[in-house]
Amino acid sequence: MNKPVVVSAETLTEPVVVSDVAPSVANVAATAAAGPAYVVLAGISFSHFLNDTMQSLIASVYPILKDTYALDFAQIGMITLAFQFTASLLQPVVGHYTDKKAQPFSLSIGMASTFFGLLLLSAAHQYLVILIAAALVGLGSAVFHPESARIARLASGGRYGFAQSVFQLGGSFGTSMGPILAALIVVPFGQGSIAWFSSIAFLAIVILWRIGRWYEPQIKAKKTAVAQAHPDAPSSRRVKIALLVLVALLFSKQLYVSSLSSYYIFYLIDRFGVSTQAAQIYLFIFLAANAVGAFFGGPLGDRFGRKIVIWISIVGALPFTLALPHVGLYASAVLSVIIGLIISSTTSSIIVFAQELVPHRFGMISGVFFGVAFGIGGLGAAVLGKLADHTSIEFVYQVCAYLPAIGLLAVFLPKLPRHVR
C-alpha cells in the first residue's frame, strides 16, 4: 500500500509528489529515517574551516599592509570590498547554475583560486596586486559556499538546522583562526609567510575532491519530480516579503560582525593602546564566540522553530551592542563574547528559513544569502572605513551599536508549515 520514496539530490531542490501523502512529509520522514551522514558533514565542515581560515587571513594582516604601504582606512575597506564583492556577485550565479546542473568537483576547482590568491598576496608589493589577490580568494569562496551548503543538506538526514550549524561551525572557527595565526606567524615573519597557508588550500582541494566522488553518484541517481506547494505554505507575495525581511536581518547581523572583524583591532589599539598581537587575540575571542553561537543556533531552530531563534538572536544582542562603546578593555572582551554568542546563532536559522521558503531554488537561494552576507560585509567595510577616516573608529562603533534593532522586522516573517520548521 505504501510506495517507497527514493531520496536523492533532486529531493533537496524540488518536493516529491507521492500519491495521497503530503510530499514534504513523506520526503522528510524518509530522509530523517536514514539519519545524517556524519562523515560527509564532518568533511564539508572541515573544508569550510580551512576555506574560512584562509579568507580571514586577509582581514588579519590589515595592520601589516596598512603600515607597510601607508594605506588609509578607506583603502583597507576597498581590500575587503574586492574580496567580498567577488564572492557576493558570483555566489548566486553559481547557485543558479548548479540548481540546473550540479558540479561535484567544482569545489576543489574553486579552491584552486584561493590557492593562487594566497600565493599572489604573499608576493604583492603594489596596491592593485593586493586587490587582485583578495578578489581571487573571494572567487574561491563564491564557488565553495552554494554547492557545499547543498551537500550539507543532502547529508543532513532531515535535520536541516543541525546540518547547517555543523557546516557553519567549521566556517566560524576558521574565521576565528585567522587573527591567531596572523599573530603567531604573519606578524613575526612578515607578508611573505602568507604563502605557507597555501598548503592549507592544497589540503582542502584533496578533501573536496573526495567529497565530490561521494556526491557524484547522488547526482546520477536523481529523479525528476513535479513540484507541488504544501497547502499551508505562505503565498507567493508573503514569500517575497519574507525573503526581503530575511535579507534585512542578515544585513543587520553581518554588517555589525563585519565592523568588528575589519576594525576591532584598530579600535582596541586606538582606544586602549594595546599591541597589534594583543588586539588580534581579542578579535580571536570574539570570532570564536561567533563560532560557538553559530553551532547552537541550528539545532535550537530545529527544536523550537527558526522564527523564535531569529527573534532572540538579533534583538537579544541589542543591549550588549549598545553598551560596548562605553566600557573598558576587559568589559569589552566580555561583551564581545556575549554579542558573538547571541548574534551568530541566527545565521543557520536565517539561511534554512530562506531555503524552506523557496525549496525548488535551493542553490540560488543559498548563493544569494551567502553572497549577501559577503557583499554586505564588503560594502559595509568600505563605507565604515570612509566614515572612520572622517570621524573616528569610536564613532563607527557607536553607530553600529544600533544595527541589531533592525531585527524587529522579524515580526513580518510568516509561519511555516510544521513539518519544515
Side-chain angles (χ1 to χ4, degrees):
M1 295 179 63
N2 294 324
K3 296 181 179 180
V5 179
V6 178
V7 180
S8 63
E10 188 69 11
T11 62
L12 303 177
T13 57
E14 295 186 3
V16 179
V17 179
V18 181
S19 180
D20 300 323
V21 182
S24 299
V25 174
N27 186 28
V28 170
T31 307
Y38 292 108
V39 173
V40 177
L41 282 178
I44 203 67
S45 180
F46 183 62
S47 299
H48 201 186
F49 166 79
L50 298 176
N51 180 77
D52 285 20
T53 295
M54 292 177 289
Q55 292 178 28
S56 65
L57 282 172
I58 294 178
S60 299
V61 299
Y62 283 169
I64 296 175
L65 297 177
K66 187 175 187 297
D67 292 340
T68 302
Y69 302 105
L71 306 179
D72 57 29
F73 286 121
Q75 288 175 308
I76 292 293
M78 285 302 297
I79 297 173
T80 303
L81 180 61
F83 158 61
Q84 294 184 341
F85 181 74
T86 305
S88 173
L89 183 67
L90 293 182
Q91 280 197 47
V93 177
V94 172
H96 177 70
Y97 179 76
T98 54
D99 276 338
K100 297 182 177 181
K101 186 176 181 180
Q103 302 291 324
F105 299 106
S106 62
L107 297 178
S108 54
I109 296 173
M111 190 60 65
S113 176
T114 301
F115 176 84
F116 290 113
L118 289 175
L119 291 177
L120 185 60
L121 182 61
S122 69
H125 296 295
Q126 296 180 347
Y127 182 64
L128 179 61
V129 179
I130 294 173
L131 292 178
I132 294 173
L136 282 174
V137 178
L139 176 61
S141 177
V143 177
F144 175 81
H145 283 95
E147 197 70 347
S148 58
R150 189 196 305 274
I151 292 174
R153 188 174 178 93
L154 178 62
S156 69
R159 299 174 62 188
Y160 302 130
F162 167 76
Q164 186 63 221
S165 284
V166 171
F167 175 65
Q168 292 292 336
L169 178 66
S172 298
F173 267 120
T175 300
S176 69
M177 285 301 296
I180 198 72
L181 290 175
L184 296 175
I185 299 176
V186 181
V187 171
F189 297 101
Q191 181 183 347
S193 64
I194 297 174
W196 300 351
F197 294 95
S198 61
S199 60
I200 298 178
F202 182 77
L203 175 61
I205 290 172
V206 174
I207 294 173
L208 291 171
W209 186 268
R210 294 290 297 175
I211 290 176
R213 292 186 63 184
W214 173 86
Y215 185 28
E216 189 174 25
Q218 317 295 325
I219 299 169
K220 292 180 179 178
K222 70 181 181 180
K223 294 185 180 295
T224 304
V226 179
Q228 178 175 309
H230 189 278
D232 297 328
S235 65
S236 175
R237 182 174 178 272
R238 289 296 305 277
V239 167
K240 292 177 182 177
I241 293 174
L243 289 175
L244 290 175
V245 169
L246 290 173
V247 168
L249 299 182
L250 194 61
F251 169 84
S252 68
K253 180 260 181 188
Q254 193 63 29
L255 185 54
Y256 186 83
V257 172
S258 177
S259 71
L260 263 72
S261 299
S262 294
Y263 301 110
Y264 192 46
I265 290 175
F266 299 111
Y267 172 75
L268 294 176
I269 294 173
D270 182 65
R271 181 171 182 187
F272 301 112
V274 301
S275 67
T276 298
Q277 285 180 304
Q280 286 169 331
I281 299 297
Y282 282 109
L283 178 58
F284 165 74
I285 293 172
F286 165 71
L287 295 175
N290 265 270
V292 175
F295 174 73
F296 285 105
L300 289 174
D302 285 339
R303 181 172 180 83
F304 300 107
R306 313 200 198 286
K307 189 173 179 179
I308 294 175
V309 173
I310 291 171
W311 264 107
I312 295 174
S313 61
I314 295 185
V315 180
L318 183 60
F320 304 104
T321 61
L322 291 173
L324 182 63
H326 308 287
V327 299
L329 176 61
Y330 298 112
S332 294
V334 172
L335 286 179
S336 72
V337 170
I338 297 173
I339 292 168
L341 287 171
I342 296 175
I343 204 169
S344 64
S345 63
T346 192
T347 305
S348 297
S349 291
I350 287 177
I351 292 174
V352 176
F353 200 111
Q355 292 167 348
E356 290 167 347
L357 284 170
V358 194
H360 56 291
R361 291 289 183 267
F362 177 82
M364 186 185 72
I365 288 296
S366 300
V368 166
F369 275 81
F370 280 117
V372 163
F374 281 103
I376 288 172
L379 182 60
V383 172
L384 293 175
K386 199 72 174 177
L387 182 62
D389 284 332
H390 286 83
T391 56
S392 67
I393 288 290
E394 285 192 49
F395 179 77
V396 167
Y397 278 97
Q398 290 173 358
V399 172
C400 290
Y402 293 91
L403 286 172
I406 298 176
L408 294 171
L409 290 174
V411 70
F412 296 107
L413 292 177
K415 183 178 180 180
L416 293 178
R418 185 172 182 81
H419 68 271
V420 296
R421 288 188 297 132

